[in-house]
Amino acid sequence: MHTRRLVKRSTLGSRVYAPSPTGDGAPLTGVVQAVRQQENRDVSAGARRHVYTVLMQDGSVKEFSEDEIAAGFSQTPGKGPLKSSLKSSGNSRVDGTASQGQTTEAQKGEADPLSPEAVEGDRVADVRKTGRSLECPEREKDHTRSVSLLEQKRKVVSSSIDVPHARKSEEEVDMDKVTAAMVLTSLSTSPLVRSPPVKGTEGVNGWWKDSSVGCFTPSSHSSSGYWSWSGPSDQSNPSTPSPPLSADSFKPFRTAAAHGPPPDDAIDDQDGSSLLFDEPIPRKRKNSMKVMFKCLWKNCGKVLSTAAGIQRHIRTIHLGRNWDSDCSDGEEDFYYSEIKLNTDSVADGLSSLSPVSPSVLSPVPPPHNHHKRPPAESGNKTNGNKENYSHAHSNTTPLSRSAPSALYLIHSDHAYQATAPVTIPSTGSASGPDSTTSVLFTPTSNSNFSISWQSPPVTFTGTAASPTQSCKEQRSQTLSVLSSPPRASGSLSRKSRGEGRKCRKVYGMENRDMWCTACRWKKACQRFTD
DNA sequence: AGTGCCGGGCC
DNA sequence: GGCCCGGCACT
Ligand SMILES: [Zn+2]
């Protein structure tokens, strides 16, 4: 509704890049203090152009023409075709009509080649205007495209935020996210190395920090408590105590969803221009995710939709092997990672971003392989069991190696422990020590874990029937774990259902009275919590 | 089709 | 509150 975001107000207060006085070097940033319009049919812009009075970062005040500033913009670091998230939609104004002139126009001049699905630059200008550290990286987007469709939706600020100085292109950031995620996982889970400091990868750290502040802010908090919650514990969530919008909010690449502004509402608020409210969205538990696989090889951001594809890609392109699909030693696993995204819109963005161009900061590839970067070969031929946690498995680093696996084992173990003790109504199973029970409980589906603790990995040493699948699971788990900041720990983005059996299953409908009350009331089981 | 459980309604 | 259940996500 009343969305009115004022029409393109001037860009006063906006931060802009201006050509460096010396003519060449890096552009300086400054804040627009005033804007003047001049009649002067100049070249490009059409009838009029603006002159900006900019307060430079060094304190001086200068005037720049539209073009100059524009140039500054376009040379912004990343040249990413990134598209990302902005969800444009314009309710009432937003679209291009209104604001003609300004920065937008200039930008368009040079940035559109890449991403077709860009959003309108307008929006960008808008945001920028707030003066607050701008964030959304989507500076260069073409505006040409008929965004009309998009515009129909509500406009939401992108989830990715970018700090002006950050010199990375969006894609780089994306890659880094993935990479860092991996790093963090392996490290943080390692019993030996508990501290977060990821040494040697400060670059990664850097963005991680940045993005967590500006980009994602997963405000997930699900009242994971018992059904008799004692109030949602919003730990230190600075933002509004708003209702649990999305529990599944952060997928690494989740960008502004087609619906509300969930992930970044916090940001939005600060932005001061939160025009939209959350729509009704009655129950949003829907999860139409799409899985993509991204190559983590240095400077390669290839994204494919199938694991096989990406594996092949890595094997042939990066590892220099050429045999076919099926026989792999599993090494490729280390060089790609799975990413989930919901709906197509996002997918588009990713794909468009795949053609990476080597730029300043190169993403750090899977840290643990760090040394083994050069096309190594099947060093440890643990055999192609991709059933594993991609990394950590046949790895060289002792540390990382033990970490994740340990974690998983423990985890599963724990889970079983919880259930095992339960006395199953049916048989008395005369002498049924652990072995018996375990057998009993082993769920056929996610047997990866359980098996490993019980019997030698022989099981899957052979040829993994459906590697991708299990792989997938692993990864997703991994990702979700790390994508959530430490504090949000308790709440996973979702509660991967299934897992342990609950009262109903254990006791059966017949013995309903044996269920815990929660179960009886169709609430979250209290007896068998996962 | 079955399970787990959220959101709600009724008392 | 206790209790029940519609309905949905997920398997
Ligand atoms: Zn129960």
Side-chain angles (χ1 to χ4, degrees):
Chain A
M1 342 340 99
H2 31 347
T3 23
R4 198 152 344 297
R5 206 174 181 131
L6 300 207
V7 183
K8 212 96 229 169
R9 345 170 204 173
S10 57
T11 44
L12 291 185
S14 307
R15 183 142 4 166
V16 300
Y17 281 88
S20 80
T22 57
D24 56 291
L28 297 175
T29 55
V31 176
V32 176
Q33 302 293 297
V35 181
R36 255 192 346 249
Q37 232 180 47
Q38 289 188 342
E39 266 319 3
N40 135 0
R41 47 219 62 194
D42 203 321
V43 267
S44 57
R48 69 299 243 118
R49 51 183 293 168
H50 298 78
V51 173
Y52 299 88
T53 301
V54 181
L55 172 57
M56 304 309 290
Q57 55 185 30
D58 62 5
S60 61
V61 176
K62 298 189 160 113
E63 292 196 337
F64 293 99
S65 69
E66 207 168 288
D67 297 330
E68 290 172 311
I69 287 183
F73 272 141
S74 58
Q75 23 182 290
T76 18
K79 57 212 320 24
L82 269 335
K83 88 11 10 322
S84 131
S85 21
L86 199 59
K87 192 113 250 129
S88 60
S89 49
N91 322 349
S92 23
R93 72 147 232 54
V94 189
D95 40 343
T97 61
S99 47
Q100 15 63 304
Q102 333 218 145
T103 15
T104 315
E105 206 112 77
Q107 287 179 213
K108 157 202 215 170
E110 103 158 42
D112 40 359
L114 307 161
S115 71
E117 54 262 79
V119 198
E120 356 98 72
D122 247 8
R123 198 331 188 232
V124 176
D126 235 290
V127 172
R128 188 164 273 151
K129 193 173 298 167
T130 35
R132 180 170 158 325
S133 62
L134 28 92
E135 21 248 15
C136 309
E138 40 270 21
R139 324 180 193 281
E140 33 256 307
K141 342 209 92 151
D142 72 28
H143 165 287
T144 44
R145 220 269 208 145
S146 57
V147 208
S148 44
L149 291 179
L150 291 176
E151 291 175 349
Q152 301 302 65
K153 306 161 156 190
R154 328 187 146 191
K155 189 169 248 189
V156 179
V157 181
S158 143
S159 60
S160 38
I161 293 170
D162 177 68
V163 179
H165 282 301
R167 269 236 168 104
K168 300 172 170 182
S169 66
E170 275 187 277
E171 36 200 25
E172 284 172 331
V173 171
D174 281 348
M175 283 179 75
D176 284 5
K177 285 175 192 162
V178 176
T179 322
M182 296 177 74
V183 177
L184 290 176
T185 324
S186 58
L187 288 178
S188 66
T189 53
S190 166
L192 300 177
V193 186
R194 207 162 180 70
S195 52
V198 179
K199 63 187 322 169
T201 49
E202 81 158 71
V204 174
N205 258 355
W207 74 254
W208 170 262
K209 209 180 295 174
D210 284 352
S211 52
S212 64
V213 173
C215 291
F216 303 123
T217 326
S219 57
S220 68
H221 44 290
S222 43
S223 51
S224 59
Y226 301 114
W227 54 276
S228 55
W229 23 262
S230 48
S233 54
D234 318 357
Q235 351 233 187
S236 51
N237 203 328
S239 60
T240 68
S242 62
L245 263 174
S246 62
D248 56 339
S249 43
F250 38 77
K251 292 339 170 7
F253 294 87
R254 188 240 235 284
T255 48
H259 341 290
D264 33 20
D265 43 0
I267 300 165
D268 248 308
D269 289 352
Q270 298 179 306
D271 205 78
S273 51
S274 55
L275 40 160
L276 22 114
F277 323 18
D278 327 290
E279 25 214 293
I281 303 182
R283 236 158 176 227
K284 88 179 257 177
R285 229 208 231 164
K286 67 108 127 271
N287 225 41
S288 51
M289 304 302 283
K290 181 169 190 174
V291 181
M292 302 288 274
F293 298 85
K294 180 168 187 148
C295 175
L296 297 176
W297 196 271
K298 188 174 192 173
N299 291 335
C300 175
K302 187 139 191 151
V303 176
L304 295 176
S305 57
T306 64
I310 197 71
Q311 283 173 7
R312 195 197 321 288
H313 159 84
I314 293 169
R315 227 178 299 129
T316 58
I317 309 293
H318 302 308
L319 297 179
R321 309 208 186 133
N322 36 10
W323 14 311
D324 264 3
S325 48
D326 292 25
C327 41
S328 72
D329 59 320
E331 185 169 4
E332 319 79 61
D333 283 327
F334 305 129
Y335 300 100
Y336 73 89
S337 90
E338 173 194 276
I339 52 183
K340 285 187 173 180
L341 12 110
N342 52 357
T343 27
D344 10 349
S345 60
V346 182
D348 286 354
L350 277 171
S351 54
S352 74
L353 119 187
S354 51
V356 184
S357 50
S359 40
V360 200
L361 232 176
S362 59
V364 185
H368 24 280
N369 304 333
H370 216 60
H371 1 22
K372 111 192 258 201
R373 161 81 44 69
E377 2 39 84
S378 45
N380 346 346
K381 129 147 292 136
T382 320
N383 202 337
N385 53 349
K386 342 174 107 214
E387 292 248 331
N388 287 306
Y389 340 107
S390 49
H391 30 284
H393 193 63
S394 58
N395 214 341
T396 48
T397 312
L399 284 185
S400 54
R401 180 221 225 80
S402 58
S405 51
L407 188 163
Y408 288 122
L409 287 178
I410 291 174
H411 186 71
S412 57
D413 210 359
H414 183 57
Y416 288 117
Q417 218 121 48
T419 42
V422 177
T423 51
I424 300 176
S426 58
T427 79
S429 68
S431 58
D434 294 345
S435 56
T436 322
T437 41
S438 61
V439 172
L440 235 171
F441 284 80
T442 310
T444 50
S445 55
N446 44 350
S447 49
N448 317 357
F449 306 146
S450 56
I451 291 179
S452 59
W453 69 271
Q454 205 177 6
S455 56
V458 182
T459 339
F460 41 67
T461 304
T463 54
S466 57
T468 36
Q469 175 131 21
S470 42
C471 225
K472 192 182 295 182
E473 274 191 62
Q474 306 270 227
R475 287 181 205 258
S476 56
Q477 190 163 338
T478 307
L479 283 178
S480 62
V481 170
L482 26 93
S483 58
S484 64
R487 28 148 68 170
S489 59
S491 59
L492 279 68
S493 53
R494 185 198 296 106
K495 41 186 62 192
S496 62
R497 155 63 51 297
E499 204 60 79
R501 42 264 113 218
K502 303 296 206 252
C503 295
R504 183 187 319 204
K505 203 176 262 169
V506 174
Y507 302 109
M509 284 301 245
E510 321 70 84
N511 303 305
R512 186 168 177 167
D513 40 28
M514 291 176 79
W515 299 4
C516 67
T517 44
C519 280
R520 241 179 293 136
W521 299 348
K522 286 172 96 174
K523 298 294 185 197
C525 179
Q526 283 180 293
R527 189 171 298 167
F528 306 111
T529 53
D530 293 328

